[in-house]
Amino acid sequence: MKRTVLNLEPIPPYNFNLTAAYATYFHQTYAAEMYQDGVFHRLLDVGNNLYLARVRSLGTVDSPSLEVEIIGANLDNTNITKAQQQIAWILGIDQHLSSFYRMAQDDPILTPFVKALRGLHVPHTPSIYEALVLAILGQQISSHVARMLRTLLIETYGPALEISGTIYHSFPRATDLAATGIAGLRAVKFSTRKAQYVIDISNGVISGQLDLEGLRTWSDEEVVRMLTSIRGVGLWTAHWLFIRALGRTDGFPHADLALCRTLSRLLNTAIPLTPAATLKHSHHWSPFRSYVTVYLFAAMRSGLIC
DNA sequence: GGCCAGGTTCGCT
DNA sequence: AGCGAACATGGC
């Protein structure tokens, strides 16, 4: 087991505490993500090698600097570079927020949130596959149930590494889930239908028929068309992937129940906004709707809005 | 026990 | 094209 330490320089403003907390949904642990005592942990899966990344902040919001410790076997320079890129992506260090903040300044709805959450960057999943499986898992169920199912999924099927007495899990690989089959996913409380979707997707990824990572170079419209042609994936999921996996700035899951409710509360509407009304209102936030979505969810999860 | 929760598909009009 | 049911599970 080797270990190496390196530094990352996020684009300011960068609030490490908020960004790491968002990644764990403001819990100490959230399935594969951990954030406790100021240290963010995530087991990385780099070319089938497992490395534990431990990250802490050395700087401030306006002069940010992160210390990253990487631990694992086969730690050569190539894999160190890949692990570094992966953790940088996970923690969203390369995002420029200034244009979004300028827009938000003129919007009374957003002003209090960008002020309270200044420096929150959008965390990403390492792979599109991970975000897709998690999105399907989370469809239609409460966030509380989703959290339990996620944890069960990664603890049952995720590659594991023990470091000084603690067992860390990475997200299951497509080959892992394909091998468990529908019965294996039913065993971790997926519905038969969701299990079928995930198995189909996993098989597509393995065979190369479904090139999820290839989506990174496609336009937003092309990505939506391709993703929604997959069984189990609708508009909500496609837009969720814009935000969580692809790093696009204008994702907006307008049919999201919690998002509609939150916006209704902020706008003080007598009755809850319909998805169509929510979508309509969102247009003047383009092309920064991913940030708006994340800031609203962060406000919800952290208790700024109840 | 019933109803709902950070959707999607399928089968009806 | 638009509407309602079914889907698994846990919490209230």
Side-chain angles (χ1 to χ4, degrees):
Chain A
M1 207 69 87
K2 289 187 185 168
R3 100 185 244 291
T4 188
V5 175
L6 43 92
N7 285 318
L8 294 176
E9 306 279 314
I11 294 173
Y14 184 87
N15 188 324
F16 172 71
N17 182 50
L18 270 177
T19 305
Y22 186 89
T24 58
Y25 287 60
F26 295 89
H27 289 93
Q28 293 224 328
T29 65
Y30 196 97
E33 334 284 342
M34 282 177 56
Y35 180 52
Q36 23 190 259
D37 302 323
V39 184
F40 177 80
H41 304 68
R42 163 86 200 208
L43 189 59
L44 307 178
D45 189 358
V46 178
N48 277 355
N49 294 297
L50 297 174
Y51 304 115
L52 178 65
R54 286 206 276 236
V55 186
R56 64 195 184 95
S57 170
L58 298 179
T60 62
V61 171
D62 291 296
S63 180
S65 173
L66 303 180
E67 182 192 81
V68 182
E69 185 185 8
I70 296 172
I71 306 169
N74 299 327
L75 201 51
D76 58 28
N77 283 337
T78 311
N79 285 340
I80 289 173
T81 303
K82 286 184 185 166
Q84 178 178 7
Q85 287 167 348
Q86 210 175 87
I87 197 71
W89 173 251
I90 289 170
L91 290 170
I93 70 167
D94 288 331
Q95 292 155 20
H96 296 268
L97 298 174
S98 50
S99 303
F100 165 58
Y101 285 165
R102 267 196 299 279
M103 178 201 75
Q105 264 174 3
D106 302 324
D107 187 323
I109 296 285
L110 298 181
T111 309
F113 303 116
V114 297
K115 202 168 176 182
L117 302 169
R118 183 167 174 278
L120 167 63
H121 285 225
V122 179
H124 299 129
T125 57
S127 71
I128 297 173
Y129 174 75
E130 174 173 338
L132 186 50
V133 172
L134 289 178
I136 290 172
L137 177 153
Q139 286 167 358
Q140 209 283 334
I141 58 178
S142 67
S143 51
H144 187 234
V145 175
R147 183 180 174 211
M148 294 196 320
L149 297 188
R150 276 184 189 213
T151 303
L152 193 53
L153 179 71
I154 67 131
E155 288 183 353
T156 309
Y157 299 120
L161 183 66
E162 182 177 337
I163 306 249
S164 49
T166 305
I167 298 177
Y168 297 90
H169 293 272
S170 184
F171 195 77
R173 296 159 180 154
T175 48
D176 296 329
L177 296 187
T180 69
I182 297 189
L185 292 180
R186 290 283 299 114
V188 289
K189 304 182 178 181
F190 275 61
S191 65
T192 305
R193 198 148 63 182
K194 284 185 184 179
Q196 182 68 63
Y197 298 152
V198 170
I199 296 299
D200 285 350
I201 289 166
S202 302
N203 285 330
V205 168
I206 293 166
S207 72
Q209 204 151 25
L210 181 59
D211 180 17
L212 291 176
E213 293 302 320
L215 290 174
R216 295 188 190 278
T217 60
W218 295 24
S219 73
D220 285 5
E221 294 74 18
E222 289 170 329
V223 171
V224 167
R225 238 194 329 273
M226 196 279 232
L227 284 176
T228 54
S229 73
I230 300 171
R231 268 168 49 92
V233 180
L235 261 188
W236 178 88
T237 303
H239 277 258
W240 195 237
L241 260 58
F242 278 162
I243 301 170
R244 288 289 292 138
L246 287 158
R248 306 283 166 111
T249 66
D250 205 27
F252 193 73
H254 67 272
D256 186 287
L257 211 49
L259 191 56
C260 291
R261 266 198 319 243
T262 303
L263 197 56
S264 307
R265 205 161 300 155
L266 293 176
L267 295 171
N268 258 323
T269 59
I271 51 167
L273 293 171
T274 62
T278 301
L279 178 62
K280 194 173 172 196
H281 188 88
S282 78
H283 282 129
H284 71 274
W285 290 327
S286 284
F288 303 112
R289 293 184 297 171
S290 293
Y291 296 121
V292 173
T293 306
V294 166
Y295 275 62
L296 290 181
F297 277 128
M300 257 179 337
R301 291 177 194 157
S302 67
L304 280 173
I305 325 173
C306 55

